[in-house]
Every structure is written in structure tokens, then in C-alpha cells.
Amino acid sequence: MTVLEQPGTHAPASPPAWRPRTEAGPLLPDAEPYRVLGARTGRLPDGSDGSTAPQDGSGTPTPGAEGAAGAGKVKEPDAELLRRLYAAVVQGRRFNEQATALTRQGRLAVYPSSRGQEACQVAAALALREQDWLFPSYRDTLSAVARGVDPVEVLSLLRGDWHHGYDAHRTRVAPLCTPLATQLPHAVGLAHAARLRGDDVAALALVGDGGTSEGDFHEALNFAAVWRSPVVFLVQNNGFAISVPLAKQTAAPSLAHKAVGYGMPGRLVDGNDAVAVHEVLTEALERARSGGGPTLIEAVTYRLEAHTNADDATRYRTEEEVTAWREHDPVTVLERALRQRGLLDEETVTAAAEAAEQQAADLRARMNTEPRPDPMELFTHVYTEPTGQLREQAAQLRAELAAEQATEGGATGEENR
């Protein structure tokens, strides 16, 4: 029997108007989260007093008005670390610009820009030790570059070139993952295995807010909490899963609240403040390494450009919204913080800009060289021991290539007569 809904019997409420969420809410598992959006007291990302945080008329702080609960207990970050963060963020911004230009020139098939999210990605890479592992998503190219992976190799996947482009075992950076959230269970598995072996290794898994709607997200967090795996989950909440706003994905007060149900700490951090993100990640990774188990961190940030170069963001968000977030640009926030500490002069600014431009120039030159891939590499690194089917396919391709080469050689010989 089919039950049909009678007209007029159900009138669903219209979805609430979406806006960037900045209130932490009362349900975070820690009474004093490391850095909480919406706090009215403490230090703002720019170092000023948050007691007079500007409001948008609804009682909600505007982007850039985020405070810090318990900021007085935060140790002043190392000056050299702050300079490294600044140089990497500046290079990350220039990398985004250059990669976007390469798509327009046809050198990349697609590029998911992380402009506006540089603080999250750079801080993630710099919070790791050499032996730790990074599990990025497709948008986290900057985290891989900041981790030390060759920029051209990072872009190989987006170019349609050799596999995912780099040696994951050597770099300890897992492949840039296109399927949403599938890298999270991989991170848990590696971290759990390291714990069983007694290896001093932690894993950091990056995911977007859209990935938190996937089953892999639930499975990864559930297993990580049960096994107390040394893994940290960093959710970069940039407001949209392509064109779907967060309010249409979850009714939770914040994504950090989801940690409560899994039995792990949750942290909500200003994702445009590189110093804050590095602080909260460092604390969470140290906790993981010491046997304290996983942590879920939500970094509230914003992608200033479209989902990819194939997306039209004007169809689902306003220019006013984008402009509001430009005023809380991660590069500007970090530069202001360093100047207030007396750690940034014009010489340092110039040096960072020149290094970023040199990286961009090198990337242009190397990406303008057409790759000459060997078709037989399709079968390399698929399995440690190739299956019978793969061996059969490889033999068939080898024969086809040999026949093609013989045909071309014969044609050349005829032309030379």
C-alpha cells in the first residue's frame, strides 16, 4: 500500500537564513576551550581586548571579532615560529594565485583554491614533527607544500599526471584525497597501527565541513575514540560543501560539538588566525602522542574563491558576505599580530614576498614543460605483487605500444627514402 501525503496536511518550515556561525554555544566538552569563537573577553586574534567585540546587530560578533577564552594561560609563541608561519602563509597565498592562473592557461585540469584558508593549512603542516603523518583532502595542497612536498608533485594529480604525484612514504603525506572523508579512516588505521607497534607517531587528518556529512567521518571518529588512537581531526569549516551551506548539513551548534557524542575533546578555533590554529593543533597532537586519544578541532574559516575554477559561487553566496570575510584575511591577521609583537619589519616582508614569487616562477617554468609519461607506469605501485589480471593487462599494453612504435618507425623510414 502506498500512502500519499494529502495536500495541505504538512507545511515544512523554510530553512533558516544561513550566515557564518561564530557562537560556540554551551555544550563544548571543555569548560575553557583553547580558543572559542564568540567569547566576549580575552585576546582577539590581533592581540587586542575582546570585551568590546563589534556586533552585527544580532548579538553575534562579526568575522574578525573572535575572542579567546582562557587566553591568559596560553604561552607566548616562539618568535622564530611566528616568522616561519608568516613566510609560509605568504607563500601559500602566492601559490594559490599561481595555481589558479595555471588552470586558466590549461596547465591544470582543475584547481580547488584554498585562498582564505591558508592559516589552517600552513599551521597544520608546521604543527607536525618529521615522523608524523598528514592526511589531506583535495583542497589541502598548501599543507602538502608547507610540509615539504615538491609543489609540482603536489599538483600532479590535478594535472592528470602520474598517480597522485609524490612518494607518500618518503614525505609522510598521504595522497590528496578527492572522495570526501575517505582519508579519515586511513589516518585512524595508521595511527592505531603506530600505537600497537610502539612507534612515536601521530596523524593529522584534514577534512572540510562537507566531509562531516559522510559516513567515513562517523566511522573514523568512532573507531579513533574507542581505540584512543593518536590522531587529530581538523575540520576546515569554510561555510559551504560546494554550494550547500552548513545550516543545511547539520543542526548542531557547531561541528566541534560532535566530539561530545564520540567521547573526545572538541575545540572551536578561529581558522583565519594561524597562531591560534597552530596552538590548538600542537596541544591536541601532544595529547594524542601521550596516550590521551583523539581530538576534533573545528576551524571556522572561509574560502574566498569558488569551490573550483568550474564553479560559479555567485549562485549561492553574496559579494557582501565575501567582502566581510576579506576583512578578516589570514595574511592580514598574522601580519598585524607579528607587527604588534615587534617581529615584522619591511625587510622580513620583502624577503617573504620575494621567496613566494621565486616559488611561483619556478612552478610556472616547470609546469610549462609538457610531461612525457610512460604508459606502463599505470601498473606501478598498484599492488606490491601484481595480480594475474594486472599482468595480463600490462602485457597487452606493452604489445600495443610495441606495435605502435614499429608502425611509426616504418612510416619514418618511408619518409626518409
Side-chain angles (χ1 to χ4, degrees):
M1 182 177 67
T2 302
V3 179
L4 299 178
E5 184 178 350
Q6 297 298 317
T9 59
H10 175 64
S14 59
W18 183 87
R19 66 182 178 194
R21 184 184 296 279
T22 55
E23 286 296 341
L27 301 179
L28 285 171
D30 191 330
E32 291 188 344
Y34 203 88
R35 175 76 63 114
V36 178
L37 300 183
R40 295 297 190 272
T41 60
R43 177 169 52 86
L44 291 180
D46 62 3
S48 62
D49 183 0
S51 60
T52 57
Q55 307 290 313
D56 64 4
S58 62
T60 302
T62 54
E66 298 85 350
K73 66 180 181 182
V74 176
K75 184 172 64 176
E76 182 67 15
D78 176 71
E80 183 58 32
L81 170 63
L82 291 175
R83 293 191 182 97
R84 285 180 63 206
L85 279 171
Y86 176 75
V89 166
V90 171
Q91 287 191 30
R93 173 60 54 84
R94 185 67 185 92
F95 181 88
N96 267 321
E97 294 170 351
Q98 186 58 68
T100 299
L102 288 169
T103 62
R104 299 189 182 117
Q105 298 164 9
R107 295 297 178 183
L108 291 177
V110 67
Y111 183 68
S113 174
S114 56
R115 184 183 179 94
Q117 298 179 225
E118 292 93 347
C120 290
Q121 299 199 14
V122 165
L126 269 59
L128 294 169
R129 302 170 306 174
E130 183 180 355
Q131 66 265 41
D132 294 333
W133 273 77
L134 177 70
F135 285 79
S137 73
Y138 60 89
R139 194 179 300 279
D140 301 318
T141 50
L142 298 190
S143 64
V145 172
R147 180 77 166 139
V149 182
D150 184 332
V152 172
E153 293 181 352
V154 170
L155 294 177
S156 289
L157 177 68
L158 303 172
R159 194 182 196 180
D161 199 357
W162 190 86
H163 292 282
H164 71 271
Y166 52 86
D167 186 338
H169 290 281
R170 178 180 59 81
T171 60
R172 293 186 175 252
V173 178
L176 294 167
C177 189
T178 300
L180 292 186
T182 57
Q183 73 275 21
L184 304 186
H186 299 163
V188 176
L190 182 139
H192 182 58
R195 182 167 178 255
L196 293 177
R197 290 164 55 104
D199 294 341
D200 183 22
V201 170
L204 174 58
L206 310 184
V207 68
D209 51 289
T212 65
S213 297
E214 297 288 330
D216 298 83
F217 176 82
H218 160 75
E219 293 155 6
L221 270 70
N222 192 54
F223 275 116
V226 170
W227 290 340
R228 297 183 67 80
S229 301
V231 59
V232 174
F233 303 96
L234 175 62
V235 179
Q236 295 175 79
N237 176 8
N238 64 23
F240 294 92
I242 305 183
S243 59
V244 180
L246 186 64
K248 292 185 178 181
Q249 293 188 69
T250 181
S254 77
L255 295 173
H257 283 71
K258 293 179 181 289
V260 177
Y262 295 106
M264 67 177 70
R267 297 288 186 268
L268 190 58
V269 65
D270 178 0
N272 286 15
D273 183 344
V275 180
V277 177
H278 188 275
E279 287 174 352
V280 73
L281 283 173
T282 299
E283 178 195 282
L285 286 165
E286 289 176 352
R287 177 179 180 276
R289 296 183 194 110
S290 64
T295 301
L296 173 63
I297 299 169
E298 176 189 357
V300 178
T301 182
Y302 197 81
R303 57 173 169 84
L304 294 173
E305 296 182 348
H307 176 70
T308 68
N309 53 298
D311 174 44
D312 180 9
T314 62
R315 299 180 63 181
Y316 54 84
R317 67 183 190 184
T318 66
E319 183 58 33
E320 290 77 15
E321 180 180 305
V322 178
T323 299
W325 279 94
R326 282 200 184 101
E327 294 174 359
H328 190 46
D329 185 282
V331 178
T332 304
V333 169
L334 185 56
E335 183 172 323
R336 184 164 57 237
L338 265 66
R339 287 191 184 279
Q340 290 176 343
R341 290 174 168 88
L343 299 176
L344 193 64
D345 53 26
E346 293 310 312
E347 183 179 349
T348 305
V349 172
T350 300
E354 289 177 349
E357 193 56 50
Q358 180 58 48
Q359 182 189 70
D362 180 68
L363 183 61
R364 281 196 307 275
R366 295 169 63 199
M367 291 294 288
N368 282 333
T369 302
E370 291 290 346
R372 300 179 62 87
D374 179 0
M376 294 306 300
E377 288 184 346
L378 283 169
F379 304 98
T380 306
H381 303 307
V382 179
Y383 292 103
T384 302
E385 292 293 334
T387 63
Q389 188 178 39
L390 276 180
R391 286 195 296 269
E392 181 181 342
Q393 292 173 352
Q396 181 180 349
L397 178 59
R398 191 178 295 110
E400 291 176 359
L401 291 172
E404 182 179 297
Q405 186 175 10
T407 301
E408 291 176 353
T412 302
E414 290 291 334
E415 292 173 359
N416 291 335
R417 287 185 180 181

